[in-house]
Amino acid sequence: MKTDSAASTPNTPQSDIDKELLEVARGIAAVTWDLKALNTTVIDLRGRVSYTDFIIVATGTSERHVQALARRVDSEMRDSGRKSMGTEGLDTGRWALLDYGDIIVHIFHQDARKDYDLERMWSEAPRLELEDAPEELYGHFDGEAFGA
């Protein structure tokens, strides 16, 4: 899994655990880009909730695309020694949830992402700056609504 695809949030003191989590979150974003996920966003929830540190949200353009993205992310995470605590929605392809404890990944079908609107729920939470994000994968499906 690539881990050099984004910059960390500026002016934030980081423990070794935080640095590792940032690298994992960046790696997951890079995996979604490799498979052409749209509008991938990493929401930093450290210190805001007790159940996770980061939520990653990405969009697939079809049910098969959502499934392929979820399987690839899960495969890469397992290969790096991180097993899922649970998964949901892999069969339907409308919304896949991958829970790794400190990182939760939501991969939505383009129609479902607007319905759930997780970014609005966490509108006050900072976003991880993804400097290497491919511009062509952002701004789709009213990307402004997704914080892209």
Side-chain angles (χ1 to χ4, degrees):
M1 177 181 324
K2 289 189 232 173
T3 60
D4 60 348
S5 60
S8 62
T9 52
N11 304 320
T12 304
Q14 298 171 357
S15 69
D16 288 341
I17 292 172
D18 283 342
K19 288 177 184 176
E20 178 189 353
L21 287 177
L22 287 168
E23 290 301 311
V24 172
R26 290 181 196 125
I28 291 171
V31 168
T32 69
W33 298 330
D34 286 346
L35 291 181
K36 306 300 183 207
L38 304 176
N39 302 321
T40 299
T41 302
V42 181
I43 303 170
D44 186 345
L45 295 178
R46 292 175 292 175
R48 294 179 182 269
V49 298
S50 61
Y51 57 88
T52 196
D53 290 317
F54 293 99
I55 290 179
I56 299 172
V57 184
T59 300
T61 58
S62 68
E63 291 174 1
R64 281 188 166 178
H65 191 204
V66 169
Q67 292 168 328
L69 285 161
R71 287 187 185 114
R72 177 74 173 279
V73 167
D74 194 50
S75 174
E76 293 284 337
M77 290 293 280
R78 275 187 278 118
D79 289 351
S80 69
R82 291 180 166 266
K83 293 183 181 178
S84 171
M85 296 174 65
T87 59
E88 297 288 332
L90 294 176
D91 295 334
T92 66
R94 300 289 301 158
W95 172 27
L97 174 116
L98 307 165
D99 184 351
Y100 299 98
D102 43 21
I103 297 176
I104 297 173
V105 181
H106 296 273
I107 303 171
F108 289 102
H109 185 280
Q110 61 194 19
D111 299 329
R113 185 166 177 175
K114 285 183 183 181
D115 293 339
Y116 287 92
D117 200 7
L118 291 180
E119 287 89 349
R120 180 168 292 157
M121 182 168 79
W122 296 110
S123 62
E124 299 297 318
R127 303 314 195 246
L128 188 66
E129 190 175 331
L130 302 171
E131 290 179 347
D132 291 344
E135 287 184 32
E136 68 273 12
L137 298 178
Y138 286 83
H140 299 271
F141 315 113
D142 190 20
E144 291 176 8
F146 305 127

